[in-house]
Amino acid sequence: MKILLTYTSLTGRNEEIAKYLAEYLKSKGADLDLQQIIDTDAFSLTDYDAVIVETYTYHDGEVPDEAQDFYEDLADVNLDKTKFAVLGSSSKTHLHFGRAVDYFTMQLNSSNGEQVADSVKIDRDPDEDDYKRVETLGDYVLKSLK
């Protein structure tokens, strides 16, 4: 089963989380592609059995500029029950903590995707508990493919 993990990262935080999750999934035997959202064609998502989107939340709850085209293209994609999960970092000091994670979750659901794990929002730098939640998200994605 083929999994795509696509991410965007401004400070390197989400890149670190994405690489951690990619290594975790590979250690469990996953066939995984890791790429940045800016390099990901939303129309290719149906080539995968599962998709994991990782984003940060920009400014006051906005989808990051480099993820905007991908996000908008999702409205025209029929995921036809492609399994998905969403995660990302933000800061609880912002009024709209993790809203971009919510936007991507809603958009993927609207595109007929099948959400297989609760979205994970991480406050700033991940700690040990956050990494456990990231692993749990990965486990749910893997379990959905069996």
Side-chain angles (χ1 to χ4, degrees), residues 25-77:
L25 292 169
K26 288 178 182 178
S27 77
K28 301 286 185 178
D31 181 8
L32 182 118
D33 287 342
L34 176 65
Q35 57 189 250
Q36 292 187 29
I37 283 179
I38 200 163
D39 298 324
T40 303
D41 179 0
F43 295 95
S44 72
L45 298 186
T46 56
D47 296 341
Y48 295 89
D49 300 298
V51 176
I52 302 170
V53 175
E54 183 181 356
T55 184
Y56 64 92
T57 298
Y58 185 69
H59 195 51
D60 282 328
E62 300 165 19
V63 170
D65 288 343
E66 64 273 21
Q68 195 66 44
D69 288 341
F70 176 79
Y71 176 79
E72 290 172 3
D73 285 347
L74 285 173
D76 297 321
V77 174

Side-chain angles (χ1 to χ4, degrees), residues 5-138:
L5 171 50
T6 186
Y7 71 94
T8 185
S9 187
L10 181 65
T11 63
R13 180 182 300 134
N14 277 314
E15 181 177 12
E16 175 187 322
I17 296 166
K19 287 180 177 179
Y20 178 87
L21 180 55
E23 287 305 312
Y24 179 77
L25 292 169
K26 288 178 182 178
S27 77
K28 301 286 185 178
D31 181 8
L32 182 118
D33 287 342
L34 176 65
Q35 57 189 250
Q36 292 187 29
I37 283 179
I38 200 163
D39 298 324
T40 303
D41 179 0
F43 295 95
S44 72
L45 298 186
T46 56
D47 296 341
Y48 295 89
D49 300 298
V51 176
I52 302 170
V53 175
E54 183 181 356
T55 184
Y56 64 92
T57 298
Y58 185 69
H59 195 51
D60 282 328
E62 300 165 19
V63 170
D65 288 343
E66 64 273 21
Q68 195 66 44
D69 288 341
F70 176 79
Y71 176 79
E72 290 172 3
D73 285 347
L74 285 173
D76 297 321
V77 174
N78 181 357
L79 292 176
D80 194 29
K81 300 296 182 195
T82 299
K83 293 161 178 27
F84 77 87
V86 183
L87 72 156
S89 67
S90 188
S91 171
K92 287 188 177 179
T93 62
H94 295 289
L95 177 63
H96 304 291
F97 172 67
R99 183 163 285 172
V101 170
D102 298 333
Y103 286 148
F104 270 105
T105 301
M106 289 185 290
Q107 190 74 300
L108 289 159
N109 272 305
S110 295
S111 298
N112 295 317
E114 180 185 340
Q115 186 173 355
V116 296
D118 290 338
S119 298
V120 172
K121 296 178 185 179
I122 297 168
D123 184 25
R124 299 182 194 181
D125 292 318
D127 61 22
E128 187 176 321
D129 288 338
D130 292 322
Y131 281 120
K132 286 179 186 174
R133 294 186 308 129
V134 168
E135 289 176 3
T136 298
L137 178 142

